[in-house]
Amino acid sequence: MSNVVYIEITEEDSSPISYKEDGGRFDETQTIKLCVDTKYNIRVACKEELKTQDMLLNGEAIYMEQKSPSADSDPNLKVYEGRFNTDKIQKTKKDKRDVIALQIPLEYSLIVALQCKYYTVKKKKSAEWGEVLKNIVINYRVEEGIEGNYSVVTSIKCRKLKP
């Protein structure tokens, strides 16, 4: 059985971020575009409640506050919001990609690697080039293991915001 988590990332002022299609040049086909020294909001929506209110992003705990689903979304979704800062992150080198490592505390912890590129604030226009990100759809399944059940990501797909 497949399960779904939706992730939205926006700038602190709720401005959308962008992503680009990279084809097969890197590990993933899509790259999220972020700036260093910038504050972001992150919103996680899923049908399952989080087991703790801290989600790990690149090893740092982010407090996730439960919110009500928006009027145009599935009322059965549980929605959590938090904030993170890229002030300790270096810009991504040319022709390279970085990873945002998320550990979402579901019943069976979900570990997700999102491909991204970090730009300097001076290169913000480059970070804005591409498709405007609506959300990231993460499909996963729960499997049985010798030491208990665990979650396995089956697909990650960026969806663009429609004008």
Side-chain angles (χ1 to χ4, degrees), residues 1-159:
M1 180 177 135
S2 185
N3 302 291
V4 181
V5 171
Y6 303 93
I7 296 177
E8 295 175 25
I9 300 172
T10 59
E11 291 189 23
E12 184 179 36
D13 66 0
S14 297
S15 298
I17 65 166
S18 296
Y19 74 96
K20 68 184 252 182
E21 298 287 341
D22 271 328
R25 298 183 329 153
F26 302 101
D27 291 339
E28 301 296 330
T29 59
Q30 296 175 315
T31 299
I32 299 163
K33 302 173 95 177
L34 301 173
C35 285
V36 298
D37 298 320
T38 305
K39 293 178 182 174
Y40 291 95
N41 302 316
I42 186 164
R43 184 177 174 107
V44 175
C46 51
K47 294 205 174 181
E48 197 178 316
E49 286 193 28
L50 298 185
K51 292 299 176 191
T52 69
Q53 289 193 288
D54 286 335
M55 178 176 75
L56 293 180
L57 188 143
N58 291 340
E60 275 190 45
I62 297 175
Y63 176 75
M64 300 297 285
E65 183 178 356
Q66 189 163 8
K67 300 286 187 176
S68 298
S70 60
D72 63 341
S73 68
D74 181 343
N76 297 317
L77 290 177
K78 313 286 189 274
V79 177
Y80 301 87
E81 290 182 2
R83 289 174 177 63
F84 69 97
N85 194 337
T86 58
D87 62 343
K88 297 175 187 163
I89 297 181
Q90 301 293 313
K91 77 175 187 96
T92 305
K93 292 182 179 176
K94 185 177 167 109
D95 296 326
K96 300 287 182 191
R97 295 295 180 263
D98 287 309
V99 170
I100 299 173
L102 289 178
Q103 186 170 349
I104 304 170
L106 301 172
E107 182 175 2
Y108 306 108
S109 190
L110 181 62
I111 298 171
V112 179
L114 301 175
Q115 183 169 281
C116 70
K117 182 166 183 172
Y118 292 102
Y119 295 84
T120 62
V121 175
K122 290 180 186 176
K123 297 274 188 172
K124 186 171 170 92
K125 289 287 181 203
S126 295
E128 293 172 344
W129 182 86
E131 301 290 349
V132 177
L133 181 70
K134 175 181 180 181
N135 61 18
I136 303 159
V137 181
I138 301 164
N139 289 286
Y140 69 98
R141 67 180 180 272
V142 175
E143 293 193 354
E144 291 183 29
I146 295 171
E147 296 182 22
N149 292 352
Y150 59 96
S151 297
V152 176
V153 172
T154 56
S155 70
I156 299 173
K157 182 75 176 157
C158 293
R159 291 196 314 183

